[in-house]
Every structure is written in structure tokens, then in C-alpha cells.
Amino acid sequence: MLHTQSRQNGAQGHGAIAVATIIVLFLSAACTKGLLRETEEERVARERLQLLNDSAQDARQRLGQFLYQAQDSLEADLLVYNYYNKEDAEWLWVTDDTTFLLREADTLASSLATKALSLGLEPETFFVPQVKQDIAHLRTLDFDSAGVAATDAMARVELNLSRAFMRCAVGLRYGFVNPHKAFNYLDPRGGGSFRQVYDIDTERPTEEFLSESFSHVHHAMDYLNSLEPTDTIYQLLKQRLANDTTAKGRKLAICNMERRRWRHKDAPAEGRRHIFVNIPSQQLWGITSDSVFSMKICCGAWATKTPLLYSNVKLIQLNPEWRIPYPIMSAEVSHHAGDSAYFARHNYFILKNGTRDTINPKDITAEQLQRGGYSVTQHSGPGNSLGRIIFRFANKFDVYMHDTNNRRAFNAERRTLSHGCVRVERPFDLVMFLLPDADEWLLDRMRMTIDLPPESDKGKEYLEKREEEGEEGSVRFMSSQSVSPTVPVMIDYYTLYPNPETGVWETWRDRYEYDDQIEKCLKRY
């Protein structure tokens, strides 16, 4: 019985072992299938995460080395440099969220390539080829065969994506080119200094802008697209770029799009009465909410470029004297010292600064005039270089808009001939634009002060009475008239722009070769 029982127990034991074996084999097969599934779908992700964790410290060190090598004067790159140069700088792209790295960062790189092309830039501007290559290595963990170190790929992706993101953000919000740096180091004046030609208060990026931008990395392209200008002129320029295949046409669109990205703090509010002077077109427009008028201008020669600036016209002076600026006096007048006929012919007189004593031209030398201490001024009147009217607005260059005694200059195609001031073709039309509420008697008093005939009945009666009473000579009612409220004046530079009066897009010559300078700066990217 025991034996039988023993045999039965043995049979049962063998049966249990057989069942267990089947179960083990089944589970083994199931596990094997599971492992194969992990290899295909999960192993790389698990190993990638492990790699990121294990290599994090070394990757940070490599980023520091790349950061040092990548130092650049581009504002966006400097902001990124300062960010990662801090010990507690948080990584934005290469994180524990590998899905974000592989999907979102890869998509961002592709989107940046498309954005670059729409702006007339190359994908390399935003490091797209290198970023996509490094992301591919991180996706497959294929480093050995490619001869790429994992830490290098991690560091490069992190740094290059941040630089690309900030380059795009800064470019769209503030412009890729800093106009102060682009234009104010072109014209040497000697002694290591340069003649400043751009003085528009233009916004530039800050550390706060970087912090704000980096808070949007998880919806990067939506954020970047929100920074791009939406005004009609910019959008039309962008369309022209997309549709123009010629090198000249694309350059015009790219350079003037860049100008539209510069945000000017002092730009007049939309619809406000203002004056727009455009150097390339050599024209002035007086613009209101419902009307526009234009006139020709003469502006600065190549060596004495009219500076670009925004200000407000606050004073109209009649029959001005011209105190000749020292650089002009030293270069063009001083060597005539001792020649009384020259000074009389040009209606010039010499004053000793401080005492304001008048000096006889025979009693002074060129060296004395060049050393300073004296000034040369031209009397007012018909022959004055400023003409009979001057329009004053605050600026550091002592430039202004004014009439001229050389009316023939307005017939020339190229009218870049002044020492920097803007000469206007029809100065009294500009007076009426600046004083829209002036009554006719005020305007006539101004007209008669500069020897123009009156137009109102009161003005005509006044002159008739003078003639009847035998009075002769000019009538000098006033020397100046304030402009209140002040009227904004914008002296700017566009080579492709819709004519404010006709709305028709026009192209003008790059008088000061500023388009060439913008193109040169953009190529740095």
C-alpha cells in the first residue's frame, strides 16, 4: 500500500513537475516576448534616460566648453551665454522628459528651418542641421559608429536649441541687426571716434526678455510667431520676399523687413499728424489721419550724412541767422581769414566767443579760427544758406529742416548735398501743415516777414495802406512762431516702401549704402 502509494505519489510528483515545467516554459516564452517588445519599444528609451542621468554632469562640463567656444557679440547669443554661465542654470531641452526632447525639440528644429527661409535666412542661422543630427544620435543611441560622444550631443542640443530659439525670438521682436551698432561705426572722424548717424530710440532685448522667452519653450513656435510684426507693411514685404526670386528684389524685401522689426519708442501714434522724411526717396511727407502732402528735399552728402532720428518740431524761425558749425567753419571758411571781400560777399561776420565782440576779418588768422574761441555767422536775408525759414526740433546733431537760397538743387536727381540738414522745397507749405489752426492774419504776418505777398483781405489791405503812406522796405512782424502742440518728425531710411501719398510701392536708391550694411550684418548669422 505504501509502495503503491509511493508509486502513486511518485506519479503525482512527476505530473506536478511536468505541469510546472510547462508553466515555466510558458512564462519564459511570455517574458521573452516581453523582453523583445522592450527592446523594440522601451529599451532605447530606458537606456537613453539612464544615459542622460549618468552623463548629466559630464554634459554640463562639455556645455561650458562649447559655451566658451561659441562666445559671440550677437545680442541673442550673449543672453544665452550669460544664462548658462550661471551655476544653477536649468536645462531646457535635454531633460528627463525624453519624449519632449525627441518629438518637440525635433519639431522645433524643423519649424525653425521653415521660419528662417520665410525671413530670407538660411536654416544654419538657427543651427538646424547640427541640432537634427545630434537629436538623431540621441534617438538611436548610435554614438560609436558615428564617432560622436553622447555628452557632446547632449550639450550641443541644449546649447544650440537655446541659441536658435533666442536668435529667432530676439530677431522677430527687436530685429536681427542692432542699428546703433550697424550704422554708428561706419564713418571715422579721427582719434578712434566715429560720426554717429543713427539716433532713434530703438528697443533692444534684456535679461527679462530672455526669462520671459524661456518660460515658453513648451509651446515654442506659437510664442515665436506671436513676436513677429503684424503690421500691413511688414506682411506685404514678407509676401514680396516669398514671391520674388531675383537677388535684388529679395535683398530689398529682406532689408526693409528688418527695418520694420525695429521697435521705435518715440514713433508717433497712429493717425497723429506727423512729418516723415525718407532719405533714399529724398522726399518729405506731411501725414494726417485723412490727408497726405509731399515735397522734395535735399539731404546730407555722403561725408555729412543726415542722421536718422525722431523728434518733435517745436519752433518756426523766420529770417534766421546761420551760425556756421565749427567743423564747416574750420574746413571751409577758416582759410579765408584776412579776406574781407570773401566775408562781405557771403554776408559773414566773426564774433569772439564770450565777449561777443565783432572781429574784423583782416585782424584774424586761419589758425585762430581753427583753434576755437571765435564763431562765424551769416546775416539773415535772401542770401542766407538757411533761406528765410527754419524748423527747429531737439537733437544732438544741430540739424534741422530749413529753406534754402539754392532753389535749383531741387531739380537734380541726386539731392544728397547738404552738411546734414534737410532742405525743404516748399517751406511755407510746411508752415501751414505745422500750424493747421492758424488764422489767415497770423499766416500773412509770417508771409510778409519773409517778403511773401499776403493772401487774406486783411493782409492785402495792410500792404496797400503802407504803400499809400509811402512806407517801404520789409515788414518784420515776428522772428519766430512756436508750434503747439509739437509735431513729430521722423527722419528714417527705407529703400522699398509704399508711397504715403499714392499707396504705390516704390523702390529708391540706397543713398548711404545702409542696405549693404544690413545685409552684411545678417550674414554674420
Side-chain angles (χ1 to χ4, degrees):
M1 182 70 171
L2 290 174
H3 179 69
T4 301
Q5 187 177 9
S6 176
R7 289 179 63 186
Q8 290 175 344
N9 289 340
Q12 291 174 354
H14 285 298
I17 292 172
V19 172
T21 300
I22 292 171
I23 292 172
V24 168
L25 290 173
F26 176 80
L27 291 174
S28 177
C31 289
T32 300
K33 290 181 181 178
L35 288 173
L36 287 173
R37 186 163 57 249
E38 183 188 27
T39 298
E40 294 172 355
E41 300 175 6
E42 298 176 4
R43 179 180 60 80
V44 174
R46 175 170 51 79
E47 292 182 1
R48 184 187 306 111
L49 182 58
Q50 188 63 49
L51 177 66
L52 296 180
N53 291 332
D54 293 345
S55 305
Q57 190 59 41
D58 290 340
R60 280 185 172 274
Q61 292 178 357
R62 286 299 287 151
L63 185 142
Q65 294 169 357
F66 288 143
L67 197 64
Y68 178 78
Q69 297 168 5
Q71 283 190 71
D72 198 293
S73 58
L74 294 175
E75 288 171 295
D77 289 6
L78 284 172
L79 287 171
V80 172
Y81 175 85
N82 292 335
Y83 174 82
Y84 283 109
N85 209 29
K86 300 172 184 176
E87 291 185 4
D88 60 345
E90 180 182 353
W91 281 34
L92 306 170
W93 317 96
V94 182
T95 67
D96 290 346
D97 187 354
T98 58
T99 301
F100 175 75
L101 171 65
L102 297 181
R103 186 182 68 243
E104 300 298 333
D106 192 45
T107 300
L108 173 61
S110 298
S111 298
L112 285 172
T114 302
K115 176 62 73 175
L117 294 174
S118 75
L119 300 173
L121 304 172
E122 296 297 328
E124 286 80 3
T125 300
F126 303 134
F127 312 102
V128 171
Q130 183 67 66
V131 167
K132 292 185 80 67
Q133 184 180 79
D134 284 326
I135 288 178
H137 292 314
L138 289 170
R139 175 181 285 111
T140 62
L141 299 183
D142 178 18
F143 298 109
D144 294 336
S145 63
V148 176
T151 53
D152 285 7
M154 292 164 61
R156 272 198 304 265
V157 167
E158 178 66 25
L159 178 58
N160 285 340
L161 270 180
S162 290
R163 292 171 72 196
F165 179 68
M166 283 309 299
R167 280 186 176 191
C168 191
V170 168
L172 292 176
R173 174 60 179 80
Y174 300 98
F176 293 93
V177 176
N178 182 338
H180 291 279
K181 292 182 178 180
F183 302 134
N184 287 333
Y185 297 92
L186 297 177
D187 298 344
R189 293 197 304 185
S193 65
F194 294 83
R195 186 171 182 272
Q196 190 171 358
V197 294
Y198 185 94
D199 193 42
I200 302 174
D201 193 357
T202 305
E203 297 178 13
R204 299 311 303 165
T206 61
E207 295 283 349
E208 289 74 21
F209 177 71
L210 176 135
S211 299
E212 167 66 17
S213 297
F214 277 173
S215 70
H216 294 279
V217 295
H218 282 274
H219 46 94
M221 284 313 300
D222 287 342
Y223 172 71
L224 293 175
N225 288 330
S226 74
L227 299 175
E228 192 164 10
T230 58
D231 66 272
T232 302
I233 292 175
Y234 179 85
Q235 294 300 324
L236 289 174
L237 283 166
K238 194 173 181 182
Q239 288 179 23
R240 291 176 73 100
L241 175 63
N243 296 326
D244 199 325
T245 58
T246 67
K248 180 180 179 180
R250 289 179 61 79
K251 177 181 176 179
L252 279 167
I254 289 168
C255 291
N256 290 284
M257 281 172 63
E258 175 63 15
R259 291 184 176 99
R260 296 300 295 181
R261 288 190 285 262
W262 299 337
R263 310 294 177 95
H264 303 321
K265 295 181 181 179
D266 298 327
E270 186 174 353
R272 183 180 175 185
R273 177 182 298 269
H274 68 279
I275 296 167
F276 173 34
V277 175
N278 187 37
I279 299 300
S281 66
Q282 303 171 126
Q283 285 179 285
L284 173 154
W285 289 278
I287 302 171
T288 70
S289 59
D290 56 6
S291 66
V292 180
F293 84 97
S294 66
M295 68 179 69
K296 296 177 182 178
I297 64 162
C298 298
C299 51
W302 177 266
T304 52
K305 299 178 179 70
T306 296
L308 307 184
L309 58 89
Y310 286 9
S311 188
N312 293 278
V313 181
K314 60 182 179 180
L315 186 69
I316 302 170
Q317 285 186 305
L318 307 175
N319 298 307
E321 291 185 336
W322 180 38
R323 180 171 179 173
I324 304 175
Y326 174 79
I328 302 174
M329 186 271 288
S330 178
E332 301 179 17
V333 178
S334 63
H335 59 280
H336 292 285
D339 184 353
S340 297
Y342 169 84
F343 281 82
R345 189 164 60 250
H346 290 84
N347 225 3
Y348 292 162
F349 61 95
I350 303 172
L351 291 177
K352 182 175 178 60
N353 297 338
T355 64
R356 306 296 292 170
D357 293 337
T358 302
I359 308 299
N360 191 316
K362 291 183 177 180
D363 299 332
I364 200 166
T365 65
E367 291 75 17
Q368 286 176 304
L369 287 177
Q370 290 169 354
R371 282 200 302 267
Y374 298 89
S375 61
V376 178
T377 301
Q378 186 178 41
H379 287 291
S380 63
N384 189 280
S385 295
L386 302 180
R388 306 299 291 272
I389 309 177
I390 185 171
F391 305 89
R392 292 200 177 273
F393 45 89
N395 66 89
K396 66 173 70 172
F397 308 99
D398 197 26
V399 300
Y400 21 77
M401 297 181 293
H402 64 82
D403 183 18
T404 178
N405 61 352
N406 179 18
R407 310 299 306 174
R408 290 174 298 179
F410 292 109
N411 297 326
E413 187 283 323
R414 187 177 187 102
R415 300 189 293 277
T416 50
L417 47 82
S418 79
H419 290 98
C421 287
V422 175
R423 304 176 189 177
V424 297
E425 181 184 24
R426 303 192 312 277
F428 209 84
D429 285 355
L430 189 55
V431 168
M432 292 188 289
F433 176 80
L434 293 168
L435 304 174
D437 299 323
D439 60 56
E440 278 302 314
W441 176 234
L442 171 61
L443 294 176
D444 269 353
R445 282 182 289 155
M446 297 179 73
R447 288 187 182 100
M448 288 185 281
T449 297
I450 59 174
D451 299 326
L452 290 177
E455 295 187 2
S456 70
D457 290 340
K458 184 175 182 179
K460 293 174 182 177
E461 291 171 0
Y462 177 83
L463 276 191
E464 289 175 2
K465 185 177 180 181
R466 276 177 55 88
E467 291 174 0
E468 291 172 358
E469 295 175 353
E471 295 185 37
E472 298 179 355
S474 298
V475 183
R476 298 297 174 95
F477 282 102
M478 56 195 3
S479 60
S480 64
Q481 172 64 39
S482 63
V483 179
S484 181
T486 60
V487 175
V489 56
M490 305 159 51
I491 302 178
D492 216 327
Y493 196 100
Y494 284 93
T495 51
L496 174 62
Y497 200 81
N499 185 308
E501 189 172 23
T502 65
V504 176
W505 282 84
E506 296 185 26
T507 299
W508 301 291
R509 290 177 57 184
D510 188 8
R511 306 287 174 181
Y512 297 157
E513 297 182 3
Y514 287 166
D515 278 8
D516 292 346
Q517 184 63 16
I518 290 175
E519 184 181 48
K520 179 181 177 181
C521 291
L522 288 173
K523 283 182 178 178
R524 289 187 57 205
Y525 285 86

